[in-house]
RNA sequence: GUGGAUGUAGCUCAGUUGGUUAGAGUAUCGGUUUGUGGUACCGAGGGUCGCCGGUUCGAGCCCGGUCUUCCACCCCA
């Protein structure tokens, strides 16, 4: 076997201990909030049958699915059948794919387990997903999604609670320095967008409208209008939208303006009513959410949203959306379970990681790691140290004994590199007297103490 | 998927118009120090110059292809 350089597939990453500690901090924070609001964990397989995945994300999405080659001699089968194009070939050689998101597998899960589940069903799911996208900074081919969805209820309490969960997650992520991150929880409603399209006389072009208007903060009003024109919106339509670009005032003032704008659209008015109810439920919950901003230009590309749409955008860090979600009707229709509405939220761990790193918001890693390292001079002291190690662990102190009594310098360096705050030195003097050398690595100071005195110091 | 940049030691980077044995900082290992890490001083190891091919007497440097990473689109977390 010839030597080869190890390598990783494009767009995938290893995570070392330092990074994992920080990632767990984010994941644990999100998990705790989900649990607090009554969401229960599930997991689904990394791979799904392609029939489950295909056709759910649009043509672009289908392109980005990772397909898994069938086992066995699939080639002869396909040549026998004389398949020519890759489009014909694909079903013959691949019937499984890696999941593209957590929402579609969840819909499949709900349909398959509908008779075991109690509705409304609230689940959270934290697992990696895969996309055959071209990688860029903050965009990978393998990344984690942290989803929570409530399915089987139309209640807007879910929407209100999503807002609260977002607020709570970001509050808890900033324990070390509260309010360092300035961010907006943007909310809109697909029905409002449909209403707008209807009022300006462009019914049926909801998706085109959503894709174009979603770029407003990136490319500006003029470019959005150009793109809308390219997508077949008439000059008269564009004229009518213009006031919406300069919608001013707080959430309630905006709602007042929109109500007037959409008064002739049934669906638009329904969207407004839903937004009002979310605000009203939040008020009833006694919630103060200054970050919540109504934004009629928020669209989100995903076409399956039908009601509320959410997005979280950092304001004092250069970064795209770090969280998003919304309500969708009929996601389970495809799998034969109609009339089930769901609403969900997803946090983007990788981007949140970058934001926290930039604002230096990660807590000190010290509490997570080993608190005490025991180092021994010789074999006899090492044997004695086993007892010391045991007493530390019995008292729930994260501790380790250097596995061999090698040169002290090497053992000390190990403790130093691992950022272990305390070291107990055991040699012939210590085993004789029973007083151990207890060293504070940060101070550089050390005292001779009994085990019980050491335990007191560490508590 | 389209267009553009990038790649030299584990990491960050030098490397002259193409010319002998490719360097530095940092990290690693050893020593100064056989009862002490983080600072200091001394020394050592570590490279198929991303990979494959071409031009040339001669390529880290020029040309083509390929892969990686990054940037802008498309789309998205």
């Amino acid at each position: 076997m010839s030597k080869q350089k190890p390598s990783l597939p494009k767009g995938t990453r290893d995570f070392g201990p330092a990074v994992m500690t920080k990632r767990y901090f984010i994941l644990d924070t999100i998990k705790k909030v989900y649990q607090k609001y009554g969401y229960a964990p599930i997991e689904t397989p990394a791979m799904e049958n392609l029939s489950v995945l295909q056709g759910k994300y649009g043509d672009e999405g289908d392109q980005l699915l990772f397909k898994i080659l069938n086992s066995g001699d699939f080639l002869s089968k396909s040549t026998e059948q004389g398949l020519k194009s890759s489009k014909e070939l694909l079903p013959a050689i691949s019937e499984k794919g890696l999941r593209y998101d957590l929402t579609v597998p969840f819909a499949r899960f709900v349909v398959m387990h509908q008779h075991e589940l109690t509705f409304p069903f609230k689940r959270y799911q934290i697992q990696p997903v895969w996309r055959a996208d071209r990688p860029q900074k903050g965009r990978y081919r393998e990344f984690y999604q942290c989803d929570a969805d409530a399915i089987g209820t139309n209640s807007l309490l879910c929407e209100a609670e999503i807002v609260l969960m977002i607020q709570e997650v970001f509050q808890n992520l900033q324990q070390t320095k509260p309010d360092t991150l300035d961010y907006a929880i943007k909310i809109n409603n697909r029905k409002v967008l449909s209403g707008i399209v209807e009022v300006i006389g462009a019914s049926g072009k909801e998706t085109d409208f959503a894709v174009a208007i979603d770029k407003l903060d990136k490319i500006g009003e003029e470019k959005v209008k150009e793109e809308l024109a390219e997508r077949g919106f008439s000059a008269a339509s564009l004229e009518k939208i213009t006031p919406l670009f300069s919608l001013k005032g707080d959430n309630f003032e905006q709602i007042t303006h929109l109500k007037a704008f959409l008064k002739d659209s049934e669906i638009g008015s329904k969207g407004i009513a839903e937004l009002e109810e979310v605000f009203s439920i939040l008020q009833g919950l006694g919630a103060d959410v200054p970050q919540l901003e109504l934004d009629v230009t928020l669209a989100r590309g995903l076409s399956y949203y039908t009601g509320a749409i959410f997005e979280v955008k950092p304001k004092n860090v250069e970064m795209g959306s770090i969280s998003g979600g919304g309500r969708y009707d009929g996601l389970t229709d495809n799998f034969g379970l109609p009339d089930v509405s769901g609403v969900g939220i997803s946090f983007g761990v990788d981007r949140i990681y970058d934001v926290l790193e930039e604002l230096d918001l990660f807590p000190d890693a010290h509490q997570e790691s080993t608190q005490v390292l025991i180092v021994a001079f010789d074999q006899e002291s090492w044997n004695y140290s086993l007892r010391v190690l045991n007493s530390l662990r019995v008292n729930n102190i994260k501790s380790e004994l250097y596995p061999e009594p090698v040169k002290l310098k090497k053992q000390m360096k190990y403790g130093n590199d691992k950022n272990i705050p305390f070291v107990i030195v055991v040699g012939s003097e210590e085993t004789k007297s029973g007083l151990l050398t207890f060293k504070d690595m940060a101070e550089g100071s050390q005292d001779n103490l009994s085990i019980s005195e050491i335990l007191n110091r560490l508590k």
Side-chain angles (χ1 to χ4, degrees):
Chain A
M1 225 171 52
S2 66
K3 276 190 226 170
Q4 60 171 54
K5 276 190 184 171
S7 64
L8 229 38
K10 182 200 292 226
T12 66
R13 301 157 291 164
D14 285 330
F15 301 115
V19 175
M20 278 312 294
T21 303
K22 293 176 179 177
R23 284 177 68 87
Y24 278 149
F25 168 67
I26 298 174
L27 262 24
D28 289 344
T29 301
I30 294 170
K31 208 183 288 182
K32 276 180 202 149
V33 171
Y34 283 162
Q35 284 168 350
K36 182 166 164 186
Y37 283 78
Y39 290 78
I42 72 160
E43 286 201 4
T44 63
M47 64 183 101
E48 293 276 352
N49 287 322
L50 275 181
S51 55
V52 168
L53 301 174
Q54 275 171 328
K56 309 296 189 300
Y57 310 106
D59 288 344
E60 300 249 9
D62 281 356
Q63 296 283 323
L64 299 180
L65 287 175
F66 274 107
K67 284 107 187 165
I68 296 171
L69 213 49
N70 290 345
S71 322
D73 187 10
F74 50 82
L75 182 62
S76 62
K77 240 189 271 175
S78 61
T79 29
E80 271 168 36
Q81 293 166 21
L83 300 177
K84 292 267 163 54
S85 68
S86 42
K87 201 177 175 183
E88 287 176 355
L89 184 63
L90 183 64
I93 62 172
S94 170
E95 56 196 17
K96 297 178 290 297
L98 295 175
R99 63 166 169 257
Y100 177 90
D101 70 0
L102 300 178
T103 309
V104 167
F106 173 53
R108 195 245 335 124
F109 177 95
V110 167
V111 175
M112 284 183 69
H113 300 278
Q114 50 185 294
H115 301 298
E116 309 153 32
L117 301 175
T118 305
F119 290 93
F121 180 56
K122 293 161 80 174
R123 81 88 171 78
Y124 74 86
Q125 187 172 358
I126 299 177
Q127 289 189 276
V129 303
W130 294 268
R131 296 185 186 177
D133 208 352
R134 181 177 290 208
Q136 262 182 53
K137 192 170 190 94
R139 290 177 71 170
Y140 307 94
R141 289 183 146 184
E142 177 184 67
F143 61 97
Y144 271 72
Q145 286 194 333
C146 310
D147 282 23
D149 291 81
I151 199 161
T153 170
N154 290 305
S155 169
L156 295 167
L157 174 60
C158 300
E159 275 83 341
E161 287 188 340
I162 280 176
V163 171
L164 291 182
M165 289 197 293
I166 292 171
Q167 188 186 35
E168 200 160 330
V169 163
F170 286 105
Q171 186 177 315
N172 293 348
L173 285 173
Q174 298 183 78
Q175 285 159 350
T176 50
K177 294 186 229 160
D179 303 320
T180 306
L181 172 65
D182 189 16
Y183 68 98
I185 304 173
K186 294 190 173 184
I187 183 171
N188 193 13
N189 194 296
R190 265 292 163 88
K191 296 188 179 81
V192 170
L193 291 172
S194 299
I196 292 171
V197 173
E198 192 178 312
V199 165
I200 65 172
S203 296
K205 292 189 180 304
E206 279 88 354
T207 307
D208 284 317
F209 183 71
V211 170
I213 195 101
D214 198 42
K215 298 176 185 167
L216 182 67
D217 60 339
K218 204 169 174 186
I219 63 178
E221 182 178 333
E222 287 313 309
K223 294 267 183 191
V224 167
K225 282 185 172 172
E226 278 174 35
E227 183 158 344
L228 284 171
E230 280 169 28
R231 289 173 184 267
F233 285 71
S234 69
S237 295
L238 294 179
E239 186 67 27
K240 284 186 190 159
I241 318 178
T242 305
L244 293 182
F245 286 115
S246 48
L247 211 52
K248 292 227 167 60
D250 63 26
N251 295 339
F252 288 102
E253 287 166 7
Q254 288 199 36
I255 282 184
T256 308
H257 284 117
L258 283 168
K259 249 185 195 165
F261 188 88
L262 296 169
K263 64 179 189 304
D264 296 326
S265 163
E266 193 187 328
I267 190 162
S269 301
K270 184 148 196 301
I272 294 292
E274 287 184 8
L275 281 169
E276 280 186 301
E277 194 179 341
V278 172
F279 286 120
S280 145
I281 291 173
L282 281 170
Q283 206 170 25
L285 286 165
D288 177 28
V289 194
Q291 300 92 343
L292 188 60
E293 293 177 9
L294 171 60
D295 181 355
V296 285
T297 68
L298 171 66
R300 292 187 63 77
L302 286 178
S303 51
Y304 53 65
Y305 290 120
T306 51
I309 324 172
F310 302 101
E311 190 160 281
V312 179
K313 178 99 175 72
K315 286 174 147 179
N316 57 342
V317 182
E318 195 58 44
M319 180 66 73
S321 148
I322 50 178
S323 178
R327 177 171 289 274
Y328 42 85
D329 295 323
L331 199 72
T332 55
D333 286 9
N334 285 311
F335 303 121
L337 182 65
D339 303 323
V340 177
S341 181
V343 58
I345 178 74
S346 181
F347 289 90
V349 201
D350 298 287
R351 287 188 177 175
I352 292 173
Y353 184 100
D354 290 343
V355 168
L356 296 190
E357 193 72 274
E358 184 166 339
L359 297 174
D360 193 25
L361 282 169
F362 283 110
D364 239 357
H366 284 212
Q367 296 101 339
E368 308 292 326
S369 69
T370 306
Q371 285 295 102
V372 190
L373 173 70
I374 307 171
V375 303
F377 275 105
D378 48 45
Q379 192 59 49
E380 198 185 329
S381 322
W382 191 90
N383 294 342
Y384 180 94
S385 298
L386 293 174
R387 267 181 287 163
V388 180
L389 180 63
N390 182 248
S391 344
L392 289 170
R393 291 197 179 143
V394 162
N395 283 276
N396 242 333
I397 292 163
K398 292 175 191 133
S399 46
E400 53 186 312
L401 166 63
Y402 197 89
E404 298 144 274
V406 294
K407 257 190 301 196
L408 212 61
K409 177 168 175 150
K410 190 171 169 74
Q411 301 190 54
M412 294 297 286
K413 185 169 161 37
Y414 174 84
N416 192 60
D417 289 350
K418 263 186 100 165
N419 262 316
I420 298 172
F422 301 103
V423 169
I424 294 172
V425 185
V426 182
S428 54
E429 289 169 25
E430 283 81 359
T431 52
K432 234 173 274 165
S433 67
L435 291 179
L436 309 178
T437 302
F438 182 71
K439 176 160 183 165
D440 181 324
M441 292 294 272
E443 299 289 325
S445 59
Q446 56 188 49
D447 299 294
N448 296 322
L449 304 173
S450 68
I451 291 189
S452 57
E453 284 171 322
I454 289 175
L455 289 172
N456 279 333
R457 286 261 194 120
L458 289 170
K459 272 173 186 163

